Amino acid sequence: MADLCQHTNRYSRREFLSKTGLGLGGLALSSLIAPTQLNASSLAAGVNPIGTHFSPKVKRVIYLFQSGGPSQLELFDYKPELIKRNGEQLPDSVRQGQRLTGMTSGQKSIPMVGSVYDFKQYGESGAWVSELLPHIAGITDEICMIKSMYTEAINHDPAITFFQTGSQQPGRPSIGSWVSYGLGSENENLPAFCVLLSQGKQGAQPVYSRLWGNGFLPSLHQGVQFRSGKDPVLYLNDPPGISGRDRRNYLDHLKKLYDLEYAQSQDQEINAKIAQYEMAYRMQTSVPETMNIADEPQHITDMYGPEVLQPGTYAANCLLARKLAEKDVKFIQLYHKGWDQHGNLPKDIQTMSQSMDRPTAALIRDLKQRGMLEDTLVIWGGEFGRTSYSQGRLTPENYGRDHHPNCFTMWMAGAGVKKGISYGETDELGYNVVRDPVHVHDFQATLLHLLGVDHEKLTFKHQGRRYRLTDVHGKLVKGILS
């Protein structure tokens, strides 16, 4: 090793790893060691967090992303006038020339369709909730409902990318990466940004790893995906024949080589990679403990429902999200696929709601009974909503809904937001926002604010320009702040 340190110019890192017999896969997390084209000039802050700009109200975030675009009209936005006018053509005065997707722009008829599911008011707040969500109906007084969300993206990929990165074009850092970069981790044995993917129905819209990518931020801030099965994080375990002591010795000597290279190049990504390797080493103990639900009391698993015992389900991931939150993971992103219902909506949305309703309500109750809802923010929502007219043929029993970016519903619960309120309003047919609109960038600015971060000050200089999550937009949604 001493010989290698004296002759670093003769050995590339690839050659060194090959000669030691460990390899990159056995050394650290493959999800963290992404190829990067960053250089020293584009990396200003390295691995050191920037910190808060003011006192935060939120210590950690659990973001339950419902991929595919859940229909607000079947779940939260009750529209009796739409039900009354079922089958009538959508008035031009309501559509106002707004664009449609290619899936319905050629339809000769665009009949309005009201939900086939009943709504009732619940809690002291009197919030309207569909019969599809009996468990969420029981926690409405904990929820801050935003019924006036809108976006500019009308198709899945740009719309999800917009919500997760602040841009419709791929390549920007995700929300979790920005949070990791700005605030760092409060648990040295787990990443600041963890990702859980739930099993979705066959044919569901795909969810790409770039949605939790670090973009141009140091690679340390990329989200780490936790998987079901015996290896929750790929390439974390030591290769056969390598002991923990061997790994520790190896990392110590590797750091010496990286320090020599850093002295020459001043490339901050070198420091980020060493931090990744060290994190991988510590995670070998922390991850198995965190992912194990065998010690959870039966009354807790019963609360989340029978699917909680099936790894990879939404219910199982909701429980794992709580366990990661207990370990002070800063940003936990859960993706739940299968909400894209262009046809056969009444049946398909019932299936999705059944898989989501009980575990979501259980997560809120579980956090509350542990005193964690006081400093945890839970977010529920998708990339856009659904149209108030039917895609395809409308029958008394069946219909579909196309993508609708002009208005949809999200909700939050927990730290920093008002409980039991509905913010914003859509028109009587559920097609346009008529009060208190909330743009995607407004949502992102408010989320960062709750974490103690000024969205205009959390920036990163890349290729001569200072970037931020909200680009040059975004304003606080003050009406929902507690």
Side-chain angles (χ1 to χ4, degrees):
M1 175 62 73
D3 202 37
L4 276 173
C5 288
Q6 293 172 6
H7 302 285
T8 51
N9 290 336
R10 298 183 185 179
Y11 294 90
S12 67
R13 278 178 286 177
R14 185 185 299 276
E15 290 171 327
F16 171 75
L17 292 168
S18 176
K19 289 178 183 294
T20 58
L22 288 179
L24 281 174
L27 182 62
L29 310 176
S30 66
S31 59
L32 284 177
I33 307 176
T36 177
Q37 287 75 47
L38 300 176
N39 54 39
S41 63
S42 67
L43 282 161
V47 300
N48 298 318
I50 295 173
T52 57
H53 299 116
F54 41 82
S55 180
K57 293 186 176 182
V58 171
K59 188 175 181 180
R60 64 191 75 83
V61 174
I62 301 175
Y63 191 167
L64 307 174
F65 193 90
Q66 311 299 313
S67 177
S71 173
Q72 73 281 9
L73 298 168
E74 267 67 35
L75 300 178
F76 298 112
D77 203 5
Y78 178 50
K79 294 298 174 187
E81 183 66 18
L82 186 62
I83 297 171
K84 177 182 176 181
R85 298 177 63 175
N86 191 76
E88 296 182 18
Q89 294 296 301
L90 179 71
D92 290 339
S93 60
V94 173
R95 180 184 164 191
Q96 300 174 1
Q98 297 169 17
R99 64 174 177 155
L100 310 180
T101 74
M103 292 171 283
T104 55
S105 60
Q107 282 189 197
K108 295 181 179 179
S109 173
I110 47 175
M112 294 183 289
V113 54
S115 174
V116 297
Y117 292 104
D118 291 333
F119 280 72
K120 292 182 180 179
Q121 289 179 287
Y122 294 90
E124 295 182 7
S125 64
W128 289 96
V129 180
S130 165
E131 64 178 300
L132 289 170
L133 305 175
H135 292 90
I136 290 178
I139 60 165
T140 53
D141 287 338
E142 298 290 341
I143 288 176
C144 174
M145 195 91 66
I146 304 175
K147 293 186 175 180
S148 53
M149 289 295 308
Y150 74 100
T151 182
E152 295 144 21
I154 200 169
N155 290 311
H156 293 289
D157 191 274
I160 296 177
T161 304
F162 195 27
F163 251 105
Q164 299 299 284
T165 71
S167 171
Q168 295 186 45
Q169 302 299 320
R172 299 281 185 89
S174 59
I175 299 178
S177 293
W178 278 112
V179 172
S180 174
Y181 165 70
L183 301 179
S185 176
E186 295 187 21
N187 185 331
E188 65 176 9
N189 297 322
L190 286 170
F193 179 21
C194 295
V195 179
L196 298 162
L197 269 64
S198 301
Q199 299 166 353
K201 70 173 187 177
Q202 294 296 322
Q205 287 290 330
V207 174
Y208 302 105
S209 60
R210 59 177 169 77
L211 294 174
W212 52 92
N214 58 293
F216 43 69
L217 294 177
S219 54
L220 174 68
H221 304 298
Q222 180 173 332
V224 177
Q225 182 182 344
F226 284 64
R227 307 164 188 262
S228 59
K230 68 174 185 177
D231 294 320
V233 180
L234 296 181
Y235 309 109
L236 187 61
N237 296 328
D238 291 327
I242 301 299
S243 68
R245 183 175 179 180
D246 292 334
R247 170 65 68 89
R248 181 67 268 164
N249 183 56
Y250 181 69
L251 289 177
D252 291 341
H253 283 82
L254 182 64
K255 185 177 185 304
K256 293 178 181 178
L257 288 179
Y258 273 118
D259 287 344
L260 289 171
E261 184 172 349
Y262 177 73
Q264 293 181 353
S265 67
Q266 296 296 303
D267 187 349
Q268 293 285 352
E269 185 66 15
I270 295 172
N271 293 336
K273 286 192 176 296
I274 283 294
Q276 291 170 4
Y277 300 155
E278 293 289 352
M279 174 63 75
Y281 179 76
R282 297 191 297 271
M283 285 175 65
Q284 288 181 320
T285 301
S286 61
V287 168
E289 175 190 354
T290 303
M291 300 296 285
N292 180 22
I293 66 169
D295 294 334
E296 291 289 325
Q298 185 170 346
H299 73 275
I300 294 295
T301 56
D302 288 347
M303 184 166 61
Y304 283 86
E307 289 189 346
V308 75
L309 300 177
Q310 302 174 29
T313 60
Y314 180 78
N317 284 343
C318 281
L319 180 52
L320 289 176
R322 189 221 79 204
K323 289 174 67 68
L324 288 167
E326 282 184 302
K327 299 291 185 180
D328 283 327
V329 172
K330 183 69 67 176
F331 200 95
I332 303 155
Q333 179 83 61
L334 196 160
Y335 291 94
H336 187 37
K337 300 183 292 184
W339 291 95
D340 190 26
Q341 284 120 23
H342 291 274
N344 201 32
L345 184 145
K347 179 181 178 181
D348 287 350
I349 200 169
Q350 183 178 35
T351 300
M352 290 300 299
S353 296
Q354 287 175 346
S355 69
M356 178 278 296
D357 176 46
R358 183 171 177 177
T360 302
L363 175 61
I364 301 299
R365 291 192 173 103
D366 200 0
L367 291 168
K368 185 174 181 179
Q369 71 183 7
R370 295 167 191 273
M372 295 175 61
L373 199 58
E374 298 174 1
D375 55 12
T376 303
L377 179 67
V378 180
I379 302 167
W380 185 99
E383 66 267 35
F384 41 53
R386 313 303 294 198
T387 55
S388 52
Y389 62 82
S390 178
Q391 177 176 341
R393 185 165 174 252
L394 169 63
T395 71
E397 299 81 23
N398 204 5
Y399 55 89
R401 296 191 191 275
D402 201 1
H403 310 163
H404 191 61
N406 301 335
C407 61
F408 56 103
T409 299
M410 292 181 67
W411 58 260
M412 302 179 184
V417 295
K418 294 177 180 177
K419 298 180 179 182
I421 71 163
S422 290
Y423 183 85
E425 185 181 351
T426 58
D427 62 35
E428 63 181 5
L429 299 178
Y431 202 85
N432 296 299
V433 174
V434 295
R435 180 171 59 86
D436 297 327
V438 179
H439 186 262
V440 175
H441 284 135
D442 302 335
F443 157 75
Q444 293 163 340
T446 306
L447 171 56
L448 291 179
H449 175 83
L450 290 169
L451 286 162
V453 176
D454 185 333
H455 72 104
E456 294 184 350
K457 295 180 180 178
L458 181 61
T459 63
F460 190 90
K461 190 173 184 180
H462 174 60
Q463 295 182 344
R465 176 191 163 185
R466 294 194 179 277
Y467 288 85
R468 69 186 205 215
L469 173 63
T470 53
D471 197 40
V472 295
H473 309 284
K475 61 182 183 296
L476 292 183
V477 187
K478 295 180 180 179
I480 70 170
L481 301 180
S482 61

